[in-house]
Amino acid sequence: MSQPYDVIVVGARCAGSPTAMLLARKGYRVLVVDRARFPSDTVSTHVVHPLGVAALARWGLLERLAATGCPPVRTYAFDFGPFAITGAPGTADAPVAYCPRRTILDKLLVDAAAEAGAEVREDFIVEQLLMEDGRVVGIAGHAKGGETVRERARVVVGADGRHSLVAEAVRAEPYHTKPPLLCGYYSYWSGIPMDGRFETYIRLHRGFAAAPTHDDLTLIIAGWPYAEFETNKKDIEGHFLKAIELAPAFADRLRGGRREARIAGAAVPNFFRRPYGPGWALVGDAGYNKDPITAQGILDSFRDAELCATALDATFTAARRFDDAMADYQRTRDAQVLPMYELTTQLATLEPPPPEMQQLLGAIHGNQAAMDGFVRMNAGTTSPAEFLSPANIGAIMAAAQGAP
Ligand SMILES: Cc1cc2nc3c(=O)[nH]c(=O)nc-3n(C[C@H](O)[C@H](O)[C@H](O)COP(=O)(O)OP(=O)(O)OC[C@H]3O[C@@H](n4cnc5c(N)ncnc54)[C@H](O)[C@@H]3O)c2cc1C
């Protein structure tokens, strides 16, 4: 066994690499491991909303992302059939989103962790956690084809995704759980210019979205209720194309393009997990997982990385007790994401909006300030608690009725 680390991070994608990078930048001795080798893909689409882009800018990584040729996304459009709500997703400081391939984004993040001084071990599989007196003290794992090695740390951070081995080993308590609600399938097309737009189409029990990504390709994801998972899986492509036909103008655009990759997909459960305990912490999907319909996962992973790294730093410098700092991490995370979790799991049912929401959508349409607000809520820029507050709804309804 080598010298102990301050932190071992299990998982090196959107949550793990930024956590490792931020702690290494503070001078801590960090080991980050992943069974994957980078660049590599993962089953996930990859819209990074403006606040996620703002995190990349804070970390000094945005220029690198822009230099990869990924087109910025300036406009989001939500098409409900009879009308569309179109607006700007960001703020003056963070105006654009990006939709970078995970092969490129995740590699950029792993490299940034290594540059910051974290030791990165790819192709390394964690088999179990080392425990002493009820406390996590390290990991046991092996490089592909190698012998089992043990490494110790003051804290092990599970950034190992929704099937987290770390969460399972420490029996991290789940809460607010909901079953899978939707199955989403996606692929990449050439010949479908998006002109800097992220377009979402909402129909009864169907939804699909399109965004521009690297190499002049367009990412398109379509979904249906999880109740149809078994019956539809025999002909995923057929059901995918039928969903797109529900928006004939977009279906025409699709016919003008060419699919360049296989169709991939997933359905995921919805849950929070307690994200800390003696010697361990969770970030990203390992600690909070939700349906991808609102594309919040990468943004949430970035936020967790910052909150968790700040809390661990406060502990290591003895400024705060571990339990106090980490309880704050959990409270802040939950307060920031809970309203979006409720909205996400409601949207993921693909049921028609309730009558009062339909009225509100009608009132938002055509009012550019309200349309920007609606788009910013869906981008996670503004909390649903704020946009759907009685005062804001009242103002939008009054404006629609021509109140001065
Ligand atoms: C279909 C779909 C579409 C999505 N679309 C979007 C979107 O458009 N925008 C968005 O923001 N989010 C989207 N998400 C969510 C997003 O993919 C996740 O929130 C994000 O990937 C979470 O990052 P993470 O680092 O927590 O976990 P992951 O990306 O799952 O990474 C976990 C890493 O841990 C490693 N690992 C796991 N176990 C071990 C082990 N025992 N030993 C070593 N390594 C291990 C894995 O190899 C993996 O690399 C989507 C998800 C799905 C399923």
Side-chain angles (χ1 to χ4, degrees), residues 10-16 33-36 38 42-47 102 124-126 159-162 165 184 186 221 266 268 283-286 290 292 295-299 301:
V10 184
R13 292 192 187 269
C14 300
V33 302
D34 201 301
R35 66 179 165 218
F38 299 93
T42 182
V43 176
S44 168
T45 58
H46 32 79
V47 172
R102 292 293 297 263
F124 185 94
I125 300 160
V126 176
D160 47 346
R162 61 184 185 274
L165 173 140
Y186 65 94
I221 179 165
V268 306
V283 289
D285 283 4
K290 61 275 155 193
Q296 298 292 306
I298 297 169
L299 166 59
S301 296

Side-chain angles (χ1 to χ4, degrees), residues 39 45 47 52 54 71 118 123 128 153 195 266 273 317 339 342 353 380 384 404:
T45 58
V47 172
D123 282 335
Q128 63 179 86
D195 196 21
R273 288 184 181 130
T317 56
E342 295 302 337

Side-chain angles (χ1 to χ4, degrees), residues 14-100:
C14 300
S17 279
T19 305
M21 175 192 75
L22 293 169
L23 286 163
R25 283 183 181 176
K26 288 180 191 291
Y28 295 110
R29 192 155 182 258
V30 180
L31 169 66
V32 54
V33 302
D34 201 301
R35 66 179 165 218
R37 171 155 290 279
F38 299 93
S40 64
D41 215 346
T42 182
V43 176
S44 168
T45 58
H46 32 79
V47 172
V48 183
H49 293 303
L51 292 189
V53 174
L56 291 172
R58 273 195 300 285
W59 302 338
L61 303 177
L62 181 55
E63 281 181 10
R64 285 189 206 180
L65 177 64
T68 65
C70 193
V73 176
R74 298 180 188 283
T75 305
Y76 288 13
F78 293 86
D79 183 309
F80 295 91
F83 60 85
I85 291 178
T86 301
T91 61
D93 291 340
V96 301
Y98 283 91
C99 184

